[in-house]
Amino acid sequence: MPWHWATSAMAATAVLLALQVALVLSEYAEPLVPGEQWQKQKPGWSQRGAAVNLPGGRWTNDAQDAFFDGSRLCARLRQPDTSFKTRCTHVIADQTFRVSAAGDFEPDGASEMLYDEYVRIDYPTDMVPGSWQQSSRNSKLQGSILETELQREDGTWVQTITSVLHWHFLENIDGTFYIQRAPCASLGVCVYSYVLKLDAKDLYCTRAVCDPIKDRDQCCDRVESCAAMTSCDRSQSLVPDLNGWCRDRACDQILDQDICCVPAAFCDGMQCLPGYVLKLNAHEIQCPQSMCFPEGDRDLCCEQQGVCSDLPYSSADCPVGKWFNSDSLCAQRQCNNVTDLGICCQPAMRCDLGLNCSHGFVPKADYEQIYCLAPECSETDHLLVCCDAAAPCSDINCGHGYYQLSDTYCGSTECNVTEDFSHCCLRSAECSTLQDQSCPYGYWFDHDERCLRDPCDSNDRSTALNLCCKPSEPCSSLTCLHGFVYKTTYLSLTCLLDECNMTTDLGRCCDVAAHCDTLSCGHGFTPDPLANDTYCPATSCDINRDRDLCCEAAPECAVAFTCPHGYTSWPDTYCDGVVCDDTRDRDICCRPAMPCTAVACPTNYVTRFDTYCRGVTCEIVRDLDWCCERGMALMYYRFLPTDLRLAGYTVVQMSDFYLYNQQIVVEGFDQAIFYCDPCDTPVNGREDPVNLGDGNSETKWLDYSRNGFYVKLPAAQPIFSYSFITGNDEAIRDPILWQLWGSPNDVDWVILHEITDRTLGESIVPTARATSTLQVSIEVPCFAPTASHIDNAANVTCEEGDLLRHNTNCTPVCQDGFTPNIDAILCQNGELTPDIFSCA
Ligand SMILES: *[C@@H]1O[C@H](CO)[C@@H](O)[C@H](O)[C@H]1NC(C)=O
Ligand SMILES: *[C@@H]1O[C@H](CO)[C@@H](O)[C@H](O)[C@H]1NC(C)=O
Ligand SMILES: *[C@@H]1O[C@H](CO)[C@@H](O)[C@H](O)[C@H]1NC(C)=O
Ligand SMILES: *[C@@H]1O[C@H](CO)[C@@H](O)[C@H](O)[C@H]1NC(C)=O
Ligand SMILES: *[C@@H]1O[C@H](CO)[C@@H](O)[C@H](O)[C@H]1NC(C)=O
Ligand SMILES: *[C@@H]1O[C@H](CO)[C@@H](O)[C@H](O)[C@H]1NC(C)=O
């Protein structure tokens, strides 16, 4: 093969590059890649594209500048006159080509070449290979017609005739021919840069027809790269074609020179690395290899471009909207201060198109007129060019119930409450959204209060407490209602809410006060009637504290209460009220007194009737005067008329007669016996003295001879007065003058009273019939001094006898041989003066 092709392949590379197709630099293959795969390229960069398989066949031996565009294969083909001309052909399926004698593409029919291969790899040509032979007999191959008997699986034989091609490998499947897998040899030739393996006759493709691409690695070996050529004639500037391949597995240093040794490449086919440009004479400079390498041959082929920074310019020298890119490269090695300005001044980006002010920044006022001095705005470099720092929301005081998030900003460099409030200030959640709404004592949960943020941080109890729990008003702000008192601990107590409310807090702060009526006022005091709506200043009343409040001094019984008859006042007692009450206080102030009958009265004294000692027991010293009075207890009395209303008249009459002790009819008077001696009463017995005591003024006593009558009491009793009731008729029979006698023993008698003056008598005795006289007092007589108390006195100490009438004298009598020390003792109202005498 002539070396031209390899040279041309090199050129084809350039063409392909120009056609935007480049070598695939497979990660797995060696850097210099076989020519059968090309890839569509984009300008400037090596990147993967759609794989393109060059058709197989021998055409590559006679072609340059091949490119394959879809189904169209074009290449410059060797002409009969050894010149090259571009020819194209359409490729169908796995068609293979060769260059015809006329210098054009023609299908590289496998048959002929296959036959050669068959021969070359020693297939027997007189028979059809394949496994069918083991189950056949009587085979006969005539030309391409195979006639044989095939054995079926049931052991029978079937006569079969088929047309075969040289490369057919047949198999017998139950008496029928099938094409077995094709032998690799049927490929004829491998794709570019590959040759059939030496043992290809024992190798098979995967299917009945070999696929030059899919079966390539099964059937073919790669040929050696031209790089292995050491025999190229460097004196003629021939070097190994680094993109080319030798004919066989190992390069033949002689035979392969024609395809592997190519002229060294010129610099002008190479693209310099960025920052470099080809030297002006690059087309004259030859690289040392068959291709120029941008890095290795950089300094050979390229020179550095000038950098814009070489120019004495800055962005200020660029027109508006452009920036001076000092890193940019000038067109040539030397920057031109005129022509390169257009290169170095590059379109800048307007702030409003290229940069969104980041969080916390706001566009400058003339944002739309500001450019980032760069192709693109970058936040790092241009933030402060385009934007101003926004004022932080914290410049606004949101006030109670709002909160701010950190890292929030106002819409401008200064906060404007009107505009920024709504996004700077967030409403905090209401305390009522908290689940746990308990507050400690002394605090109340304010549902309307707001937390520090939204939602409330319910995990932070202490914050919630500080915010949502408000101090309650102390109980001391509440005035307990009338009838209530502060609880004793009220200084440490609080109302429920921030304001004390009588309804809800009364029970919290106050106790029901004890009413004064629960206080027992104690001795000498009585509940103050005006304190009926007064309460002690505590839950219970205390006598020491509250007595003045609830009580008044009670009137002392001794002063303010008069005990009734039969009772005696009780010392140091007080009425049970501010005013003593006869009924209520009797048993408080008084005790039943002992009747004076317990006191033995001395001589000439009688026990006062119905009188009680001035104490519960009688004491002589105290009660003697009280219980005993001058008087005489007598059992017998005698009324003796001495003249009648009709003077000198003798018929005396009287309806009833009464004796009194202390104005009361004497005790036992109803059992008194009335009698007369002598008597001159009517014989019919109807007007006997007994009528005087019957209490019936219709009955009367009458005596024709003005005899008197006697009364005998059941027991001796003192009397102090008497009265009688006039008879029913005949006033002339009324006694006007009379005597009343008394006797203790019906032996010794004494005059108790005597009327001797008619005028007095008539004033006492009414003329009206059956009408009572006034009570007439008697004169109290005296007993003679008791002999037992006077030494040597006579048994009867008075000459006048044992009984002495009022206003009469006693003449003392001593025993014989003795003389009284006085001559007379006067009896007046039962009292002797002197009351004693002595005998000497
Ligand atoms: C541009 O370059 C020329 C030649 O080097 C020089 O004379 C001229 O002053 C330069 N102009 C400026 C503006 O630098
Ligand atoms: C600025 O924001 C707008 C709206 O979100 C967006 O469409 C645009 O791409 C952003 N520009 C930059 C440079 O990020
Ligand atoms: C704040 O904003 C309001 C409404 O946009 C405007 O009327 C007012 O003048 C602004 N105040 C200041 C101090 O800029
Ligand atoms: C006190 O509490 C009651 C019951 O809760 C309520 O009806 C009343 O309005 C409250 N009074 C005041 C002054 O708040
Ligand atoms: C308390 O006493 C006064 C005066 O005696 C009387 O007017 C008032 O009705 C009494 N109040 C009660 C509750 O008993
Ligand atoms: C006086 O009394 C005594 C004692 O009772 C008696 O013995 C005496 O006889 C009495 N004398 C006269 C004169 O009665």
Side-chain angles (χ1 to χ4, degrees):
M1 289 290 161
W3 55 267
H4 305 91
W5 185 82
T7 311
S8 306
M10 194 52 241
T13 306
V15 171
L16 286 169
L17 281 170
L19 289 171
Q20 307 174 4
V21 177
L23 290 170
V24 172
L25 293 173
S26 159
E27 300 130 88
Y28 307 108
E30 42 288 65
L32 299 177
V33 205
E36 90 273 16
Q37 269 202 332
W38 307 80
Q39 287 191 314
K40 302 239 174 198
Q41 299 283 316
K42 289 196 170 167
W45 303 98
S46 167
Q47 65 185 52
R48 286 184 181 278
V52 174
N53 295 316
L54 287 182
R58 287 167 290 178
W59 63 276
T60 51
N61 289 343
D62 302 292
Q64 296 179 338
D65 300 350
F67 65 91
F68 189 50
D69 179 16
S71 63
R72 203 158 157 267
L73 173 66
C74 297
R76 300 204 310 136
L77 298 183
R78 191 194 309 270
Q79 300 300 302
D81 60 358
T82 71
S83 69
F84 283 83
K85 275 191 183 159
T86 299
R87 300 279 188 245
C88 292
T89 184
H90 283 279
V91 183
I92 299 159
D94 296 331
Q95 244 178 335
T96 55
F97 293 95
R98 65 183 170 195
V99 178
S100 68
D104 202 351
F105 285 110
E106 70 174 8
D108 192 4
S111 51
E112 183 194 341
M113 196 181 65
L114 197 60
Y115 184 78
D116 294 345
E117 284 300 327
Y118 265 49
V119 173
R120 188 166 75 82
I121 57 180
D122 287 341
Y123 278 114
T125 54
D126 56 346
M127 69 166 296
V128 178
S131 62
W132 64 278
Q133 295 174 21
Q134 279 118 47
S135 53
S136 65
R137 64 182 182 189
N138 302 329
S139 304
K140 196 164 48 173
L141 178 64
Q142 283 189 324
S144 62
I145 303 301
L146 174 63
E147 193 178 347
T148 188
E149 283 175 71
L150 294 179
Q151 191 171 29
R152 301 171 66 117
E153 284 176 2
D154 60 4
T156 61
W157 297 89
V158 56
Q159 183 72 31
T160 308
I161 295 177
T162 189
S163 163
V164 294
L165 294 177
H166 294 303
W167 62 86
H168 276 171
F169 265 59
L170 300 179
E171 67 178 329
N172 169 17
I173 300 179
D174 198 19
T176 306
F177 273 123
Y178 285 86
I179 299 176
Q180 232 178 1
R181 288 183 300 154
C184 278
S186 68
L187 270 176
V189 291
C190 288
V191 294
Y192 178 66
S193 78
Y194 286 83
V195 291
L196 276 176
K197 292 190 174 180
L198 294 176
D199 54 350
K201 94 176 154 112
D202 300 325
L203 299 174
Y204 295 90
C205 295
T206 48
R207 304 225 218 110
V209 176
C210 287
D211 182 314
I213 302 301
K214 287 182 182 148
D215 293 323
R216 186 193 71 189
D217 292 339
Q218 167 70 10
C219 299
C220 310
D221 282 333
R222 170 141 252 181
V223 299
E224 194 170 26
S225 165
C226 287
M229 290 295 287
T230 56
S231 58
C232 292
D233 187 354
R234 290 194 175 266
S235 66
Q236 295 189 35
S237 284
L238 290 179
V239 294
D241 180 357
L242 297 180
N243 277 334
W245 300 92
C246 293
R247 290 188 172 82
D248 214 336
R249 277 167 280 267
C251 289
D252 183 322
Q253 295 295 336
I254 306 301
L255 288 182
D256 287 333
Q257 276 183 4
D258 63 337
I259 56 169
C260 280
C261 294
V262 294
F266 285 91
C267 280
D268 57 355
M270 187 187 82
Q271 193 167 35
C272 290
L273 291 175
Y276 290 83
V277 286
L278 280 174
K279 290 180 177 170
L280 289 178
N281 61 341
H283 61 283
E284 293 167 357
I285 306 173
Q286 226 172 354
C287 292
Q289 309 260 13
S290 69
M291 48 196 295
C292 296
F293 294 95
E295 284 179 18
D297 296 328
R298 188 190 71 186
D299 294 339
L300 182 67
C301 299
C302 311
E303 58 187 2
Q304 219 167 355
Q305 275 171 289
V307 187
C308 288
S309 60
D310 294 345
L311 287 174
Y313 296 126
S314 70
S315 290
D317 300 298
C318 293
V320 172
K322 302 229 168 158
W323 69 293
F324 188 81
N325 184 354
S326 50
D327 292 335
S328 194
L329 298 173
C330 294
Q332 296 300 328
R333 180 184 182 83
Q334 287 291 326
C335 285
N336 180 301
N337 63 10
V338 176
T339 57
D340 282 333
L341 196 57
I343 292 173
C344 297
C345 284
Q346 295 174 356
M349 184 153 274
R350 231 166 64 196
C351 278
D352 60 333
L353 301 177
L355 185 79
N356 287 334
C357 290
S358 59
H359 184 64
F361 289 85
V362 290
K364 291 196 179 201
D366 49 355
Y367 187 58
E368 288 87 351
Q369 272 98 53
I370 304 178
Y371 288 84
C372 300
L373 296 179
E376 299 213 329
C377 291
S378 111
E379 190 164 322
T380 331
D381 297 334
H382 303 111
L383 184 61
L384 293 177
V385 172
C386 300
C387 311
D388 285 326
C393 275
S394 56
D395 285 2
I396 293 183
N397 180 2
C398 290
H400 187 72
Y402 292 86
Y403 71 100
Q404 290 179 335
L405 294 177
S406 64
D407 196 28
T408 52
Y409 296 88
C410 291
S412 171
T413 52
E414 283 187 7
C415 289
N416 177 328
V417 175
T418 319
E419 300 206 320
D420 295 318
F421 187 87
S422 61
H423 68 264
C424 281
C425 300
L426 304 176
R427 201 84 173 103
S428 302
E430 288 195 346
C431 285
S432 57
T433 59
L434 271 175
Q435 207 142 31
D436 182 358
Q437 304 190 344
S438 57
C439 291
Y441 185 83
Y443 292 84
W444 62 284
F445 191 85
D446 188 351
H447 288 84
D448 298 332
E449 184 53 84
R450 287 180 182 271
C451 295
L452 279 184
R453 50 191 64 253
D454 187 9
C456 293
D457 184 0
S458 53
N459 294 329
D460 188 354
R461 273 294 290 160
S462 65
T463 307
L465 277 189
N466 287 341
L467 285 168
C468 301
C469 291
K470 300 273 186 64
S472 305
E473 194 172 27
C475 272
S476 52
S477 308
L478 183 78
T479 308
C480 291
L481 278 181
H482 183 65
F484 290 83
V485 287
Y486 282 128
K487 287 180 191 280
T488 49
T489 54
Y490 84 102
L491 284 177
S492 60
L493 297 180
T494 62
C495 293
L496 205 54
L497 299 178
D498 58 343
E499 277 187 10
C500 288
N501 176 321
M502 193 56 82
T503 317
T504 49
D505 297 320
L506 185 62
R508 284 172 70 91
C509 300
C510 310
D511 281 328
V512 175
H515 191 279
C516 267
D517 63 14
T518 63
L519 179 70
S520 155
C521 284
H523 190 65
F525 289 85
T526 185
D528 183 348
L530 296 178
N532 60 359
D533 191 26
T534 304
Y535 295 82
C536 296
T539 52
S540 62
C541 293
D542 174 25
I543 188 68
N544 293 322
R545 179 190 60 207
D546 301 323
R547 193 169 64 192
D548 289 349
L549 183 69
C550 298
C551 307
E552 273 198 4
E556 192 172 1
C557 287
V559 174
F561 193 84
T562 308
C563 288
H565 188 67
Y567 290 81
T568 180
S569 70
W570 191 242
D572 193 27
T573 53
Y574 298 84
C575 289
D576 191 19
V578 288
V579 175
C580 292
D581 179 274
D582 285 349
T583 310
R584 179 193 65 204
D585 297 326
R586 190 195 70 184
D587 291 342
I588 296 171
C589 293
C590 312
R591 290 290 182 281
M594 185 172 277
C596 279
T597 51
V599 176
C601 292
T603 310
N604 296 329
Y605 287 81
V606 292
T607 305
R608 288 187 208 269
F609 174 73
D610 192 24
T611 300
Y612 296 80
C613 292
R614 283 171 294 186
V616 288
T617 55
C618 293
E619 291 175 28
I620 297 295
V621 175
R622 183 191 65 202
D623 294 324
L624 192 63
D625 289 345
W626 177 255
C627 287
C628 303
E629 63 178 334
R630 296 285 166 187
M632 198 165 284
L634 301 173
M635 189 182 278
Y636 299 91
Y637 295 89
R638 180 187 181 198
F639 185 85
L640 180 63
T642 50
D643 201 0
L644 303 182
R645 195 178 298 276
L646 176 61
Y649 194 55
T650 61
V651 181
V652 62
Q653 64 176 20
M654 190 185 286
S655 286
D656 290 297
F657 182 79
Y658 295 98
L659 295 173
Y660 302 94
N661 179 355
Q662 315 286 0
Q663 284 89 52
I664 295 173
V665 174
V666 293
E667 201 172 348
F669 189 71
D670 54 342
Q671 293 157 43
I673 299 165
F674 287 79
Y675 61 94
C676 49
D677 182 21
C679 302
D680 188 12
T681 55
V683 290
N684 61 8
R686 291 204 195 134
E687 294 177 349
D688 284 349
V690 69
N691 288 342
L692 290 165
D694 65 2
N696 182 354
S697 58
E698 298 300 313
T699 62
K700 67 182 177 192
W701 157 75
L702 183 145
D703 192 291
Y704 295 112
S705 303
R706 197 166 39 82
N707 290 314
F709 60 88
Y710 295 84
V711 182
K712 182 192 178 193
L713 296 180
Q717 295 223 29
I719 68 163
F720 294 90
S721 54
Y722 61 96
S723 69
F724 58 85
I725 295 173
T726 55
N728 60 336
D729 58 5
E730 301 286 347
I732 56 172
R733 300 174 180 170
D734 293 340
I736 289 299
L737 300 179
W738 65 84
Q739 290 176 336
L740 181 68
W741 292 76
S743 167
N745 47 14
D746 205 16
V747 176
D748 301 311
W749 288 89
V750 65
I751 293 175
L752 299 175
H753 195 223
E754 179 174 24
I755 302 295
T756 53
D757 175 11
R758 293 195 65 91
T759 312
L760 179 58
E762 283 163 0
S763 71
I764 292 172
V765 184
T767 53
R769 296 300 78 202
T771 300
S772 179
T773 65
L774 297 175
Q775 281 187 30
V776 185
S777 292
I778 65 161
E779 296 158 345
V780 180
C782 305
F783 281 108
T786 304
S788 58
H789 291 146
I790 304 168
D791 293 340
N792 307 312
N795 279 8
V796 177
T797 54
C798 293
E799 201 177 284
E800 291 78 8
D802 252 350
L803 293 174
L804 299 168
R805 185 179 169 183
H806 168 69
N807 265 345
T808 62
N809 280 331
C810 153
T811 306
V813 184
C814 294
Q815 288 176 18
D816 289 344
F818 294 91
T819 309
N821 66 328
I822 48 174
D823 293 337
I825 297 173
L826 177 61
C827 167
Q828 271 191 313
N829 281 322
E831 184 173 8
L832 293 172
T833 311
D835 61 347
I836 197 143
F837 68 97
S838 59
C839 293

